[in-house]
Amino acid sequence: MNPFPRAEISSSALQTNLAELRQQAPTSRVMAVVKANGYGHGLLNVAHCLVSADGFGLARLDEALELRAGGVKARLLLLEGFFRATDLPLLVEHDIDTVVHHDSQLEMLEQTELAKPVTVWLKIDSGMHRLGFTPEQFSTVYARLMACVNVAKPIHFMTHFACADEPDNTYTSVQMAAFNTLTTGLPGFRTLANSAGALYWPQSQGDWIRPGIALYGVSPVTGDCGANHGLVPAMELVSQLIAVRDHKANQPAGYGCFWTAKQDTRLGVVAIGYGDGYPRNAPEGTPVWVNGRRVPIVGRVSMDMLTVDLGQDAQDKVGDSALLWGKALPVEEVAERIGTIAYELVTKLTPRVAVCLV
């Protein structure tokens, strides 16, 4: 099998990041969010590396079932809840917690016969206005859940922040106040903080934090870097040079003759492209790390390859490694140059990229 491109996943980095988040939220348990195939790092890879996490947050039931089949015994929470009444017996069988955020889920819980109750996290819409019950609905929904024989007691509570990745935005404080007004004095766990909440809003940390992107060594805030918080990038996306060639001034390169050299130079072709999940819209100048330095992408990213300007006196050769992002070249920087977020880059790698634990 061709080993390039590949995503090398560092088990030690994942463990370092979990320990750092515990240190920053010392009174909270950690619900490690591993949805979207562990943010592109490999679902079971991440779960087995983070075996000391208190629980795992997932988006879909099939992800939770994969963890159970892979031997994971920790608490599992479906962050979007269940979608069908037929999901409920599986939650019981495999001991999976569920978020309840909509009337339809509440009705299914009330109308389905189950062997034992399900652990429920009641989602409150404190201002995100995406999922969850409004403050006006809260007391009625809470009473129905308390009366439902299929719901384990106590009920737990959660919300989600809209602007926690904007440290100067006071809307997060508004959301915290709304959540606390409804839940103070009630039994059960409380969870508010995602990665941004855990790192930037310590007063939101609650009984559980739900870090996602920070576990992988990435900052959730534009213009910031995980290293500023003691986090280590867990993914190194690497490929190699498959061609190095002299290139004359005023000559174009790539589809559409999109780029033209201003001077004589040497070009390198890297074996990665949008078929691997590297964005086609990466602009000229997006950096790639080759032999200890940043070199710029030139021309359009194609399906299987991209081209970099190595410089006129470059000594690079075919087979040399090319780092697309990692410790030497933070994914946050690459994302900012492309005009996207690091979350998208790490989660959109395609199956052509080999994911290996190191």
Side-chain angles (χ1 to χ4, degrees), residues 14-33:
L14 289 167
Q15 292 159 5
T16 294
N17 296 336
L18 176 59
E20 181 62 32
L21 287 160
R22 284 197 187 281
Q23 185 173 336
Q24 296 200 34
T27 63
S28 303
R29 300 181 190 184
V30 177
M31 181 77 67
V33 179

Side-chain angles (χ1 to χ4, degrees), residues 165 218-224 277-283 286 325 330-348:
D165 59 347
V218 180
S219 172
V221 172
T222 300
D224 193 15
Y278 194 92
R280 182 178 181 273
N281 65 327
T286 301
W325 59 72
V331 67
E332 297 98 326
E333 177 185 342
V334 177
E336 191 168 1
R337 292 293 295 268
I338 294 174
T340 185
I341 56 175
Y343 299 75
E344 184 175 16
L345 293 185
V346 296
T347 61
K348 288 186 71 174

